[in-house]
Amino acid sequence: MRLSRREFMAAGMAGAAGLCVGSQAAELSRPLPDEDGYKLWLRYARPGDVIQTYRKVVQHIRVDGVSATCRIILSEFDSAAKAMLGRAIPLSMNDVAEGTLLIGTPGNSAQIRELHWATDLGAVGDEGYIIRSARIENKPVTVIAANSDIGSLYGCFHFLRLMQTAQPIDALNIIERPALQLRLMNHWDNLNGTIERGYAGRSLWQWNDLPDTLSPRYADYARACASIGINGAVVNNVNADPRVLSPEWLRKVAALADVWRPYGVHMYLSVNFASPVRLGGLATADPLDQGVMDWWKAKADEIYGLIPDFGGFLVKANSEGQPGPKTYGRTHAEGANMLADALAPHKGNVMWRAFVYDEDIDPDRAKRAYIEFTRLDGQFRPNVAIQVKNGPIDFQPREPFHPLFGGMKHTPVIAEIQATQEYLGQAKHLVYLGTMWKEFLDSDTHAKGAGSTVAHVLAGKVHPSHITGMVSVTNPGLDTNWCGHHFSQSNWYAFGRLAWNPALSAREIADEWARMTFTNNDMTRAIIRIMMMDSRETFVNYTMPLGLHHLIGGNHYAPMPWNSRAPRADWTATYYHQASEDGIGFDRTRRGDRAVEQYFPPVCDRFDDIAQCPEVYLLWFHRCAWDYRMKSGKTLWDALCETYQQGAKQAAVLQKTWQFLAGQVDARRHAEVADRLVIQVADAAKWRDQILEYFGQFSKRPRPGAS
Ligand code: GCW
């Protein structure tokens, strides 16, 4: 059942009036057992009426292959079947019986070889899979076939997702392969157990206990990643402690990598560019110094000796106080290439971050990375990818896409998005980011004409690219529910799903997640989905609408538009909003600082022309008088006030809607989310009041509707 917005409102009203319908009434009568959120979207709840068909389709299971990954597949099905179907599924050993779920690769399964699916399998690559309802010896079976055991594991999780979301599984013909190669978690975890911009407890990695003691959470983490196709993780903060490369720490890292390996999760490390000095005792970390090159080569050899499938290095260089090649008078390309040469013999990659904003490059922070990196385009080794945040500043609630997407023509560019909600309410506000990331992925760069979307750039369809990928600065910590806020789990989930397939819609991802995390009940999941789909816009409305950005201070949480003092001008709020009695906004047009010119036509023209510029980016690109007329005919000041007021109201509606779901969701999770919604509603009102009061000093106009 699909609920329209009108039906949703009607449902809300029925709820408010104490009415409920059919199965909902029945569900209300028996309380759902409490859940703590630890199981994430892998709860394997009973799927409902479809269970009879499922029992027919899956009567036996056969996993060909003996690897640790194959054992994981078997145990995953075993626990899933017991939980969802209420019974264990017998193994089919020799013959393939009716209702067998056959899982394997042409390499390990004669039956799969005999199906002659070579063409289709040829198209799915190393990590893809086929799920097909087929006949073997005239018996109906279901086959999950792949070219590697990891592909089979991904196929299994897909199949289990169909069951968890109560989809038909008796006439399947699914062929999947990931759109992007690197689908990585980026943890900003420090070696002392804290997490930079982490809001869900301390780090998952128990460095004091490693390598000898392994927390069960390491495998649970890797399993959750694998279930959504994530194939690697950078385990430590980009503000990297050089000690991570010490022999002592590498043994700990290797132990973790061993746990992750059967789940297809590869280990990557953030490295400090000055490690040869700080750890190795060399006099310099100059990338052109032979001793430095040798040090990194030896370090790479040491790492690969311990972790043969190590993925590579992530580097934050010459940014926010971190050392880098420029410290030694060298370019980013020279720095990245030196590391790339050390990793190349082992097939490792360097992910070099474009999050640099050197004040000497340009007065506008938004312009700096593009200027520095496009100058170096073509100078990077083949195993270097430039890792670019979605927008040109820093994970703001809304930014236009970064012009380096499409702007780098000869260098692979991978995207960095952020699930931790650093600037989006952290783990206190309910904000689903699937919609934000889709807005980014669907943005048309026009790098090679219409249709050159960011998603296509990332997939190497615009400029050919031998490294493709998307990474997420990610949110799990030691909190029982992993992510602090139960709904923040959806951002981990959405990242994985979009990195696998950027063409999925935010709505379908929200729906899948709501079904698996909460319930398949039509009304309840539709309401949850609608809450999620509107939540990011709601957040933008009560914090930084109409292109405003960085209206915060040190903790990046609370409103601080008056923030004008910081070690750097571009860490203040006033640098960005520039409010005065004349107006507000940053003039990045051709009459201003010409930042628009970093975009391809017609995008630059559209952003430049105030009549065409989407109003959601208005004050990002334009400086406007307070009485500037919006498309609605309202003045900018009135529109600003109304948007903040609307945002605060929407937050209150979110809270009311959730209250209506009491009894439809287990009491514990319901209460935990409700507690956070209280904070969110109060914060939204605070944002509205403090921002409008502050800007009101400049606009000198009354708030519309206020007496
Ligand atoms: O968003 C900013 C954060 C810093 C972070 C930096 C970065 C890890 O406030 O905490 O440092 O970006 O992305 O490097």
Side-chain angles (χ1 to χ4, degrees), residues 549-561:
H549 48 292
H550 217 279
L551 302 183
I552 37 73
N555 67 359
H556 297 180
Y557 180 78
M560 241 173 111

Side-chain angles (χ1 to χ4, degrees), residues 211-483:
D212 301 322
T213 307
L214 299 171
S215 154
R217 280 188 94 144
Y218 303 155
D220 291 345
Y221 163 86
R223 167 178 173 252
C225 286
S227 75
I228 47 178
I230 290 169
N231 64 358
V234 182
V235 80
N236 61 320
N237 191 353
V238 286
N239 291 328
D241 187 327
R243 283 178 307 154
V244 79
L245 293 179
S246 66
E248 180 201 353
W249 229 283
L250 288 177
R251 278 197 301 279
K252 299 171 190 278
V253 171
L256 207 44
D258 289 343
V259 179
W260 295 353
R261 186 165 298 111
Y263 295 91
V265 179
H266 292 255
M267 175 63 71
Y268 294 76
L269 290 174
S270 294
V271 297
N272 185 302
F273 198 78
S275 298
V277 177
R278 298 196 193 162
L279 185 70
L282 302 194
T284 178
D286 179 348
L288 301 194
D289 179 277
Q290 191 58 48
V292 171
M293 295 186 228
D294 292 345
W295 190 89
W296 281 108
K297 274 198 188 346
K299 193 45 82 180
D301 294 347
E302 183 187 344
I303 295 173
Y304 280 90
L306 292 163
I307 312 169
D309 54 353
F310 181 71
F313 294 150
L314 171 63
V315 194
K316 171 175 178 175
N318 295 117
S319 166
E320 300 183 336
Q322 291 302 311
K326 289 172 75 176
T327 319
Y328 306 95
R330 312 297 182 190
T331 67
H332 282 284
E334 286 168 322
N337 290 345
M338 183 271 297
L339 293 176
D341 289 343
L343 294 171
H346 308 284
K347 306 212 177 331
N349 289 323
V350 171
M351 293 160 297
W352 193 266
R353 294 178 87 227
F355 183 67
V356 296
Y357 49 105
D358 189 335
E359 282 158 310
D360 296 338
I361 302 285
D362 191 275
D364 182 0
R365 173 170 165 184
K367 291 170 69 182
R368 295 173 188 155
Y370 178 93
I371 295 171
E372 275 210 77
F373 278 89
T374 48
R375 275 183 198 153
L376 300 171
D377 195 10
Q379 296 182 28
F380 292 92
R381 297 278 193 273
N383 58 331
V384 176
I386 307 301
Q387 181 166 312
V388 183
K389 289 189 184 184
N390 57 288
I393 300 282
D394 188 13
F395 299 138
Q396 297 303 292
R398 174 169 273 126
E399 297 192 36
F401 67 91
H402 200 302
L404 279 172
F405 295 105
M408 293 292 274
K409 298 177 182 144
H410 311 288
T411 312
V413 169
I414 64 177
E416 177 179 309
I417 58 177
Q418 197 198 47
T420 58
Q421 298 175 234
E422 175 184 353
Y423 296 91
L424 283 121
Q426 301 175 0
K428 296 210 176 91
H429 292 208
L430 190 165
V431 187
Y432 167 60
L433 299 175
T435 46
M436 171 159 121
W437 297 334
K438 277 301 280 184
E439 182 176 293
F440 159 63
L441 291 165
D442 292 346
S443 298
D444 196 343
T445 69
H446 283 263
K448 277 206 184 154
S452 308
T453 60
V454 169
H456 285 174
V457 170
L458 294 179
K461 292 181 186 162
V462 176
H463 308 303
S465 179
H466 40 273
I467 306 176
T468 63
M470 177 150 91
V471 310
S472 168
V473 176
T474 196
N475 47 1
L478 274 184
D479 277 6
T480 307
N481 73 5
W482 300 87
C483 299

Side-chain angles (χ1 to χ4, degrees), residues 82-153:
K82 284 180 188 148
M84 283 196 278
L85 307 183
R87 64 183 190 205
I89 301 197
L91 292 181
S92 151
M93 300 304 276
N94 300 315
D95 293 344
V96 172
E98 175 172 341
T100 294
L101 177 63
L102 170 66
I103 302 162
T105 65
N108 63 24
S109 165
Q111 252 97 8
I112 286 180
R113 275 195 300 279
E114 281 159 22
L115 289 167
H116 301 294
W117 291 353
T119 315
D120 286 341
L121 278 171
V124 302
D126 286 348
E127 296 178 301
Y129 50 83
I130 298 170
I131 309 178
R132 209 168 259 166
S133 308
R135 294 190 92 83
I136 293 182
E137 292 159 16
N138 214 23
K139 292 170 210 152
V141 296
T142 308
V143 180
I144 301 181
N147 294 310
S148 68
D149 292 343
I150 295 299
S152 301
L153 179 65

Side-chain angles (χ1 to χ4, degrees), residues 676-706:
R676 282 180 165 68
L677 281 163
V678 173
I679 300 172
Q680 183 170 0
V681 170
D683 283 346
K686 183 168 144 191
W687 268 94
R688 175 199 60 203
D689 294 340
Q690 297 196 349
I691 297 280
L692 292 182
E693 191 187 325
Y694 173 78
F695 287 146
Q697 300 169 61
F698 303 105
S699 80
K700 302 204 181 306
R701 283 150 205 266
R703 281 202 221 174

